[in-house]
Amino acid sequence: MNDWWEPEVSVDLAHQADALWRALTYLSVAQLHLRSNLLAVDCVDVPDVKARPSGHWGTVPGTAWALAHAGLAAGCHIGTQIVPVLGAGHAGVVQRALAWMTGDIAKMDARYSRDADGLAALAASFPDGDALGSEVHPELPAGAYMGGWLGGAFAFAQGMALDSPNRVVVPIIGDGECETPSTAASWLAHRVLADIRVLPIVHLNGHRMGSPSLLGAMSDEQVSAYAVGLGWDPVIVEVGSGPGLDEHAEFHRVLVAGVEATARRAHRVVFLRCVKGWSGPVGAHKTPLTDLAGDPSQLAALRAWLTSYRPSELFDADAQPVGALASALDAIDIGSALPVPPTLPPPVPATGRGFATAVTAVLRAHAATGAFRIFSPDELRSNRLGDLQAEAWAHEVLAEEVLLGWAAGWTATGRRGLIVSYEAFAPLLLTGLVGQLKQRRLIKHALPSINLLLTSYGWHNVYSHGDPSLITALLGTGDPAVHVFTPADSNRAAAALDDALRSTGRVNVIVAGKHTTVNYPQEIADEERHRGLAVWHHLSDPGEPDLTLVCAGDLAAAVVTDAVVGIRVRSGRRVRVVNVHDLRALTDPDLHHYVGTHAAVLIVTLGHPAAIWGLLGGGLHRDVDVIGWAEPPFPMPQDKLAAHAQLDVTGVTSAAETLLARRKR
């Protein structure tokens, strides 16, 4: 376990590491507490401090240490690209400090120039800087994973590292994060992915937020046994006693040796053991000095704290780096995995031969171009896609959050992917998907979409497996990047999947039943794909309708098809049928062109009616009703479940007659 190569570390490099760490930590403390006079810290007075300091201090020293050394290790030109990934969103203050020194933040906003004025602006804007905020930002160094999705950074780093033999991804994760299901499962799930190079740095500072962490309470022997049991080769380095140049030299040796070992496909992990908040008020999670204007002792403590980093050795009067810090900034390389444009296959023609054949044809076409992956729980065979299990580009592990992390990291490098799952499991992905929506709004270049195929849903499952709440919640965000496809048959499901895989900048959810056998007329399928909906003329009366039946999903299409003739005969009214392929189409202000100008509208959906009402937003000022998933009070057969939710011919007919009767009054 201890036979790694240990490079020689020069005195200059140790000085550079120490200067860079002090600068990052100093600038972080300054951002948390000051709004002016950032360089003459021994003269800091009440006008210079923030009335209400806010932010997170505890993670700063260890995060700054790991980032400084990752950048310097990359700058040693060891033949491998090193890409650090920050796991803690609260580490944004350190990221801002680094990005100010490298000039990356000035590229986003010229106010944060690399001079005294820019530094003052950086501190004054924290934590509420417009378009920047206080958390980790994806447009800044080490920010590929934004951090709002707690525990996902490890899996995200694994996804980034897939098929990247010249890249070692270094996720910096906290011991609190190691208690989350996502991180805990990622250690074991690493075995599923062949030929990936990830070197985790676990920031073992002993605390989650306010209370002691489980991992931090373990002895070195217990931590090592935990890692070894999961198949990882651990190295534990304790820092913070000085910190002195010897500690920097030791950590640099360990990190470079770890990169070298990881590049050779070893599973190495570095545990950075330290005290939370060392070099300042130890143990504090958030900003420790909160009454600087009213408490002279706190103001004196802040002066002493800032002075301890010896800023005069780091910056001149105009905030320009000097000495070892200047040479460190010249040497570091904070790598990033820049996305590359994907190669797309020719259009995939419809097969008309059922779900498995149609969907598999699309997936194989995209896989043939390279840079494509499927991520699934242990359900590919159950989902009628068992022929893909043996493919090198299909990965199965029973941990939804890990699958999403892989997909997010994979697509963050410009490559395309798909998560295949059950509707019942999908709500586990909500936090991560919302985090991805938030993150991708901030990225200038559109990445390949996050795609989710739900092949089995509540209507076909047992009592415990019916839960369409993921779709309801995603649509409830109001984010136009969310698209929910409800294809009526397998040909349309394959087309929706093909379109989703070609798209960028979106979160696409495709709800497609694996049991569907019927195929509806294809002549209007292209209109459905491009507009999100279309009139089904073969089921509709000509002219302006009195009643419009809108179906969204295969079961909805089937029951509307079975019910429409009876409704027409019983009511004697003109009836139109509209099929919705993409639920986003229900937000179209020109929806009346499809449903009619004055018709009553009955919408039949697979999911919660509340999701549809939210999309309509009062846009249809007429008689409207929605039929959809209704939570059953107890287990019941499918036909009784459909009757309970009115998703059968009797229920749809009754709802239609009620709407028409209301129009007469």
Side-chain angles (χ1 to χ4, degrees):
M1 186 172 67
N2 295 324
D3 59 350
W4 59 81
W5 168 67
E6 291 193 356
E8 293 293 327
V9 181
S10 70
V11 174
D12 285 346
L13 193 145
H15 277 290
Q16 290 172 358
D18 181 60
L20 187 53
W21 173 79
R22 283 190 287 125
L24 287 170
T25 310
Y26 165 76
L27 292 177
S28 297
V29 176
Q31 288 180 81
L32 291 171
H33 298 92
L34 298 181
R35 57 191 181 91
S36 60
N37 198 16
L38 274 74
L39 297 174
V41 291
D42 53 341
C43 301
V44 164
D45 211 338
V46 171
D48 302 314
V49 299
K50 293 177 178 176
R52 295 180 179 176
S54 178
H56 294 80
W57 155 246
T59 191
V60 166
T63 300
W65 186 281
L67 263 185
H69 279 276
L72 286 169
C76 289
H77 307 294
I78 58 178
T80 300
Q81 184 193 32
I82 300 174
V83 180
V85 173
L86 289 168
H90 296 333
V93 65
V94 182
Q95 186 197 34
R96 285 169 50 117
L98 176 63
W100 177 78
M101 288 193 288
T102 60
D104 288 280
I105 203 167
K107 297 174 185 175
M108 290 180 58
D109 192 325
R111 290 178 297 173
Y112 306 125
S113 52
R114 272 188 56 174
D115 53 27
D117 290 340
L119 179 56
L122 182 76
S125 68
F126 188 87
D128 301 318
D130 290 343
L132 188 60
S134 62
E135 300 286 287
V136 168
H137 196 289
E139 289 287 297
L140 297 178
Y145 172 83
M146 198 166 69
W149 164 26
L150 182 63
F154 191 3
F156 184 94
Q158 290 169 327
M160 286 184 75
L162 271 169
D163 269 2
S164 304
N166 296 316
R167 175 188 304 149
V168 171
V169 183
V170 181
I172 302 167
I173 55 181
D175 43 5
E177 290 174 74
C178 290
E179 297 178 24
T180 64
S182 301
T183 302
S186 295
W187 296 108
L188 195 59
H190 200 80
R191 296 169 177 265
V192 173
L193 304 176
D195 197 25
I196 70 168
R197 294 160 177 84
V198 176
L199 175 64
I201 297 177
V202 179
H203 182 192
L204 202 64
N205 68 15
H207 286 73
R208 306 177 184 103
M209 288 177 280
S211 56
S213 66
L214 298 177
L215 198 62
M218 294 182 184
S219 66
D220 285 357
E221 292 76 14
Q222 290 170 324
V223 169
S224 293
Y226 174 74
V228 170
L230 291 170
W232 291 78
D233 176 12
V235 184
I236 301 174
V237 183
E238 186 165 357
V239 302
S241 60
L245 298 181
D246 289 345
E247 288 186 354
H248 283 291
E250 179 189 6
F251 191 82
H252 180 80
R253 283 192 294 268
V254 166
L255 184 61
V256 172
V259 170
E260 293 282 349
T262 302
R264 298 192 304 269
R265 304 183 186 179
H267 293 174
R268 180 72 53 83
V269 53
V270 176
F271 290 95
L272 172 62
R273 192 184 281 281
C274 60
V275 175
K276 186 166 187 173
W278 52 277
S279 78
V282 298
H285 177 62
K286 293 189 176 181
T287 310
L289 304 177
T290 57
D291 188 20
L292 293 165
D295 186 345
S297 65
Q298 287 196 18
L299 189 60
L302 178 62
R303 292 192 197 105
W305 184 9
L306 289 166
T307 302
S308 71
Y309 299 115
R310 308 192 303 279
S312 62
E313 297 177 7
L314 304 172
F315 303 101
D316 67 15
D318 194 36
Q320 298 303 302
V322 297
L325 177 61
S327 61
L329 291 173
D330 287 338
I332 64 169
D333 178 9
I334 304 296
S336 63
L338 296 175
V340 296
T343 302
L344 297 173
V348 182
T351 67
R353 295 167 56 193
F355 174 85
T357 302
V359 168
T360 298
V362 171
L363 296 177
R364 289 196 180 281
H366 281 270
T369 66
F372 175 76
R373 298 279 173 141
I374 292 175
F375 308 99
S376 176
D378 187 23
E379 299 288 350
L380 278 176
R381 186 164 300 281
S382 173
N383 288 329
R384 306 295 193 268
L385 301 173
D387 289 347
L388 303 180
Q389 282 183 305
E391 298 294 346
W393 39 269
H395 308 285
E396 290 189 287
V397 63
L398 197 55
E400 251 72 11
E401 299 98 324
V402 172
L403 298 175
L404 178 56
W406 289 351
W410 174 255
T411 56
T413 59
R415 300 172 290 186
R416 294 160 295 115
L418 174 70
I419 303 171
V420 184
S421 188
Y422 276 17
E423 183 185 74
F425 306 154
L428 293 168
L429 303 174
L430 178 59
T431 299
L433 287 172
V434 171
Q436 281 297 297
L437 287 169
K438 290 178 180 291
Q439 178 162 352
R440 292 179 178 218
R441 283 180 216 137
L442 302 180
I443 298 175
K444 295 175 183 176
H445 47 271
L447 297 173
S449 298
I450 299 285
N451 302 305
L452 175 61
L453 174 63
L454 301 181
T455 61
S456 183
Y457 36 89
W459 304 96
H460 288 301
N461 273 312
V462 297
Y463 174 70
S464 60
H465 282 51
D467 184 7
S469 59
L470 174 71
I471 291 167
T472 305
L474 285 177
L475 291 173
T477 67
D479 192 325
V482 173
H483 288 257
V484 176
F485 294 95
T486 54
D489 57 33
S490 58
N491 283 338
R492 288 171 166 82
L497 178 58
D498 191 31
D499 291 340
L501 291 173
R502 295 174 188 275
S503 70
T504 60
R506 303 195 323 205
V507 168
N508 298 307
V509 182
I510 304 158
V511 185
K514 60 188 178 184
H515 304 284
T516 304
T517 57
V518 64
N519 281 311
Y520 298 100
Q522 292 293 301
E523 56 266 20
I524 38 76
D526 283 344
E527 183 180 1
E528 292 175 14
R529 292 174 72 175
H530 293 110
R531 297 301 303 266
L533 75 173
V535 175
W536 277 9
H537 298 287
H538 67 288
L539 296 179
S540 302
D541 293 311
E544 185 69 17
D546 300 304
L547 171 70
T548 297
L549 302 175
V550 178
C551 49
D554 55 354
L555 294 182
V559 72
V560 166
T561 297
D562 290 343
V564 65
V565 173
I567 292 171
R568 181 180 290 115
V569 171
R570 288 167 64 98
S571 68
R573 302 292 192 91
R574 292 187 300 275
V575 182
R576 177 181 292 178
V577 175
V578 173
N579 184 56
V580 175
H581 184 69
D582 180 352
L583 290 181
R584 179 61 55 188
L586 295 177
T587 66
D588 190 334
D590 294 327
L591 184 60
H592 61 276
H593 291 319
Y594 287 88
V595 301
T597 306
H598 303 292
V601 179
L602 176 62
I603 302 176
V604 186
T605 180
L606 291 171
H608 290 129
I612 303 301
W613 288 116
L615 289 170
L616 294 174
L620 292 177
H621 301 291
R622 63 183 76 181
D623 291 315
V624 181
D625 197 7
V626 183
I627 292 172
W629 177 259
E631 190 65 32
F634 46 76
M636 57 182 61
Q638 291 178 20
D639 57 342
K640 291 187 177 180
L641 175 60
H644 169 71
Q646 288 189 281
L647 199 81
D648 61 0
V649 172
T650 300
V652 171
T653 301
S654 175
E657 290 177 344
T658 299
L659 272 176
L660 290 171
R662 192 186 303 164
R663 298 296 295 272
K664 290 181 179 179
R665 293 198 296 269

